[in-house]
Amino acid sequence: MSKKWRLTERTKTLLTLELAIVLPAAALMGFSVWNLKHIQRDKAIEAAIQRDFGHVLKIAESKSWREANDLLTPVRKEFPSPDDGAQIKPKLESLLRQHPEYAYAVLYDKKNNLMVSRVQPGRDQDQAFCAYTQGEINNLVSWLPVEASSEVKHLRMMKEEHPVGFYGGWMVRANQHAYFNVAYFIPADVRDDRVALGVVAFDEDYLRKSFFPAIVSDVLSSKNTVLRADANLPVMMIHAPKDSTPWVASADWDGGEPEEERRFADVFPNLIFAMKYQGTTIADIGNRFLRYNYIVLGALSVLMVGGIWLTYRNVSREMNLARLKSDFVANVSHELRTPLALIRLYAETLELGRLTAKEKYQEYFRIIREESERLTALINNILDFSRIEAGRKEYEFKETNLADLVRSTLDSYRFQIEQNGFAFEENISGDIPPVTVDREAIARSLLNLVNNALKYSKDQKYIGVSLYQANSRVNLEVRDRGIGIPPNEQEKIFEKFYRCGDPLVHNIKGSGLGLSLVRHIARAHGGEVLVESSPEKGSKFTIALPLDPGLRTAAA
Ligand code: ADP
């Protein structure tokens, strides 16, 4: 019945442990793994980085737009009017001199069928430059009269926000992609019904070597750039469509495939801005993130499992202790009841005064004395134990002749041992030096060991006690040929309340305190209690005490 109750209690505790800790922990781990897998499938990290890249590229485009407009504003103001006649050319020339960032300028007026152009005078000596720039002008001159009306109309409509139109693209020059572009606007003071256009073209060298490198480095170093917080270094370049060779690149561009691109539309049309991380790819970063998270998750899981295991171990230990305690109460009550019953029985018999034989009287008195001694020993054990538990146990160390102490302790017990049919052997060496011990504690330890030898012997009734010196120790040895102790229980028997699982042991009275007290006493003396035992053959308990009192003080 009680066994069944214990089982349910244990199952209940384990179930609580499982429901309260194991299940939530397992759910948490499962959810994290699922979450990470989910992130992996959605490529959420990659998408987020790509979004950031897209944002930065947008900033690059609007910055280019603003800078280009800033450059064009003074030019538009100073641009000659179609009515300037012979002054147009010199004015264009001086304008270009002041603004070396332009390759050429053109003024077209439909009314007077006027088309005046000038190549950058600062580059007049550069024949190659003059040749291809002239080629570009010729090209422009061929389509400008055709397109002018609609472009002017368009500019007038957009006047407020887009006072300038842009046109640009790529061509192959000296086996390389070169970017050409023009900005066109209506010169100042041109009446609304007149079709006239001012055109300037940015010098390709200027765009490639100074304008765009500045924009790129500006955008990349900007504090507002979301990517700044990232440990990876973003790099940027500009290229032509269908040709990934960089036309302009940031200083740390390290080649490879860009992660995100943006084709400019309004300003500098057909330029493609591209971005990536230096030395790594977004996919790698994503994988790294996942790997890192898996490792953290793994480590946490190991910790959690460790924690659960520790909790489980502690709970089981506490439950075992609780069971041992309740056994202890039952055992002690039983142990108290038996001697009391005997004492009462024999005292009553004596009281009746019907005994005739004198020996009977003697025997009954002896039984009463022995039983009351047993009670005293048990109560002493319990008191000692409670003092130790409360940390109040104190020892009175005195220099002692151990041989005398052992002899006199055994003398008061010898009769009882022999009465029980035991062969008793006592070997006390004659050369034991005085040892500093607590007399009562040592005597009690010896009695506990002898009493155990008595209790746990069956047919082979033998008890041997030896006291001898070995190295710097004095050994007090108690041997029996009793039931012995299985190897796996030899350490546990010194724990409080512990009693061996052997059903034989449970028929023998005991509290499970004796050996834990012996060990406490031995250790308080700087010594140890050791056991050698094999089941069915017998046991040998040895209290080894140091001769050097220094050891004792250190241990106590
Ligand atoms: P108890 O009051 O049960 O004897 P102890 O602490 O003295 O408590 O002993 C703990 C357990 O160790 C005993 O219950 C018994 O199982 C085992 N034991 C102790 N001494 C011996 C021995 N001499 N022979 C066999 N088993 C022993």
Side-chain angles (χ1 to χ4, degrees):
M1 181 73 191
S2 84
K3 194 154 179 82
K4 195 172 164 206
W5 176 80
R6 249 183 245 144
L7 203 76
T8 4
E9 189 65 9
R10 194 182 175 80
T11 323
K12 229 170 22 190
T13 313
L14 290 181
L15 214 68
T16 316
L17 192 76
E18 215 154 272
L19 285 178
I21 305 176
V22 181
L23 278 187
L28 193 68
M29 282 188 251
F31 173 72
S32 307
V33 169
W34 177 82
N35 212 12
L36 285 177
K37 279 229 166 90
H38 196 67
I39 287 183
Q40 197 167 25
R41 208 171 43 236
D42 279 3
K43 302 233 175 266
I45 308 161
E46 294 170 36
I49 298 179
Q50 252 147 3
R51 248 196 329 273
D52 287 348
F53 275 170
H55 182 68
V56 174
L57 291 175
K58 213 164 163 179
I59 293 176
E61 181 169 13
S62 56
K63 199 169 179 65
S64 306
W65 168 256
R66 248 181 289 122
E67 300 268 311
N69 265 307
D70 286 353
L71 285 173
L72 286 166
T73 306
V75 176
R76 285 195 292 122
K77 270 197 198 127
E78 293 155 24
F79 211 80
S81 147
D83 297 325
D84 283 349
Q87 287 305 306
I88 294 177
K89 197 140 188 148
K91 276 193 174 176
L92 284 182
E93 194 175 313
S94 105
L95 187 74
L96 289 170
R97 266 191 211 287
Q98 280 173 51
H99 299 280
E101 61 269 24
Y102 299 104
Y104 64 87
V106 175
L107 176 72
Y108 172 69
D109 178 27
K110 191 171 183 170
K111 190 172 127 201
N112 300 324
N113 198 15
L114 183 82
M115 177 83 77
V116 187
S117 65
R118 181 64 170 105
V119 176
Q120 172 61 255
R123 303 278 292 270
D124 273 351
Q125 305 309 318
D126 185 342
Q127 283 184 0
F129 174 83
C130 290
Y132 62 68
T133 307
Q134 196 54 56
E136 276 181 41
I137 295 175
N138 293 345
N139 192 19
L140 178 82
V141 165
S142 67
W143 61 260
L144 194 57
V146 185
E147 302 277 336
S149 301
S150 69
E151 292 299 341
V152 165
K153 206 164 138 198
H154 184 69
L155 282 176
R156 286 220 164 92
M157 260 161 55
M158 312 289 284
K159 201 167 178 180
E160 290 313 311
E161 359 155 8
H162 287 282
V164 184
F166 289 92
Y167 172 75
W170 295 86
M171 59 184 176
V172 177
R173 189 187 290 158
N175 276 337
Q176 267 185 341
H177 273 115
Y179 185 68
F180 69 88
N181 77 94
V182 291
Y184 50 89
F185 46 85
I186 302 168
D189 303 331
V190 170
R191 280 202 349 255
D192 276 0
D193 55 351
R194 194 162 173 186
V195 174
L197 279 175
V199 181
V200 283
F202 281 108
D203 179 13
E204 205 229 10
D205 277 356
Y206 167 71
L207 290 182
R208 188 161 46 85
K209 291 180 187 160
S210 88
F211 183 84
F212 282 116
I215 299 249
V216 164
S217 82
D218 232 49
V219 169
L220 287 179
S221 64
S222 159
K223 291 236 167 19
N224 300 328
T225 306
V226 261
L227 299 158
R228 279 290 98 190
D230 210 296
N232 299 293
L233 186 71
V235 289
M236 198 183 254
M237 67 105 151
I238 306 168
H239 68 94
K242 295 187 193 143
D243 180 8
S244 57
T245 324
W247 177 61
V248 168
S250 61
D252 26 34
W253 178 263
D254 60 341
E257 279 292 302
E259 301 279 2
E260 184 69 9
E261 295 195 329
R262 184 178 179 90
R263 194 178 183 131
F264 281 14
D266 287 346
V267 66
F268 303 115
N270 296 318
L271 275 189
I272 296 181
F273 264 57
M275 265 190 101
K276 66 188 274 292
Y277 276 126
Q278 193 188 34
T280 183
T281 64
I282 299 183
D284 271 352
I285 295 170
N287 286 339
R288 215 161 50 218
F289 171 84
L290 285 173
R291 220 175 17 248
Y292 173 77
N293 275 280
Y294 273 126
I295 289 173
V296 170
L297 187 66
L300 284 180
S301 307
V302 168
L303 281 181
M304 209 134 71
V305 169
I308 290 170
W309 179 76
L310 272 182
T311 318
Y312 171 75
R313 219 183 55 163
N314 278 355
V315 168
S316 321
R317 196 179 281 169
E318 284 302 315
M319 283 168 68
N320 272 342
L321 200 63
R323 185 171 52 78
L324 288 175
K325 274 183 183 165
S326 75
D327 284 358
F328 165 77
V329 174
N331 287 336
V332 166
S333 320
H334 184 69
E335 254 205 284
L336 286 173
R337 219 172 36 204
T338 323
L340 280 176
L342 281 176
I343 291 169
R344 205 173 67 203
L345 176 73
Y346 288 101
E348 277 170 6
T349 317
L350 288 169
E351 203 179 21
L352 287 175
R354 289 207 199 121
L355 288 179
T356 46
K358 194 163 177 260
E359 305 83 67
K360 277 279 172 205
Y361 274 103
Q362 287 303 322
E363 192 193 336
Y364 284 16
F365 282 133
R366 182 182 53 76
I367 291 173
I368 289 173
R369 182 182 51 80
E370 275 177 14
E371 290 305 313
S372 55
E373 269 171 14
R374 216 147 67 123
L375 275 179
T376 316
L378 174 66
I379 288 165
N380 279 342
N381 267 358
I382 294 171
L383 284 178
D384 262 6
F385 172 75
S386 77
R387 276 191 210 112
I388 288 170
E389 283 288 284
R392 280 189 288 109
K393 173 74 186 161
E394 280 172 13
Y395 292 96
E396 247 182 76
F397 293 104
K398 269 197 202 123
E399 206 170 74
T400 306
N401 184 333
L402 261 190
D404 281 355
L405 175 68
V406 170
R407 222 174 269 128
S408 65
T409 310
L410 288 175
D411 277 350
S412 59
Y413 221 65
R414 189 188 308 272
F415 183 70
Q416 192 184 338
I417 296 171
E418 284 167 358
Q419 269 277 310
N420 281 306
F422 275 78
F424 184 57
E425 196 180 334
E426 184 181 306
N427 287 310
I428 297 178
S429 162
D431 60 352
I432 308 288
V435 187
T436 318
V437 296
D438 179 314
R439 293 176 61 88
E440 207 187 311
I442 294 295
R444 196 167 297 155
S445 303
L446 177 58
L447 283 186
N448 266 308
L449 292 182
V450 172
N451 201 16
N452 279 349
L454 270 176
K455 286 199 294 186
Y456 302 111
S457 292
K458 282 193 298 181
D459 317 324
Q460 291 276 326
K461 299 192 168 197
Y462 165 83
I463 295 179
V465 177
S466 308
L467 180 74
Y468 58 94
Q469 186 180 339
N471 303 324
S472 56
R473 291 175 167 262
V474 179
N475 286 351
L476 176 55
E477 204 176 273
V478 178
R479 296 178 306 277
D480 64 56
R481 293 181 190 151
I483 60 171
I485 302 152
N488 62 338
E489 294 191 282
Q490 288 181 8
E491 187 48 38
K492 293 183 190 157
I493 53 171
F494 296 102
E495 290 168 11
K496 56 190 177 190
F497 308 129
Y498 191 85
R499 307 199 73 216
C500 286
D502 191 338
L504 212 75
V505 171
H506 284 273
N507 294 330
I508 302 167
K509 286 167 276 177
S511 59
L513 289 183
L515 287 181
S516 83
L517 288 177
V518 173
R519 182 163 73 173
H520 192 274
I521 291 167
R523 286 185 176 170
H525 284 76
E528 192 47 272
V529 53
L530 310 161
V531 61
E532 284 170 41
S533 179
S534 51
E536 307 296 334
K537 294 224 168 72
S539 316
K540 179 171 95 179
F541 285 86
T542 310
I543 300 176
L545 299 174
L547 281 171
D548 178 5
L551 287 173
R552 186 205 76 219
T553 346

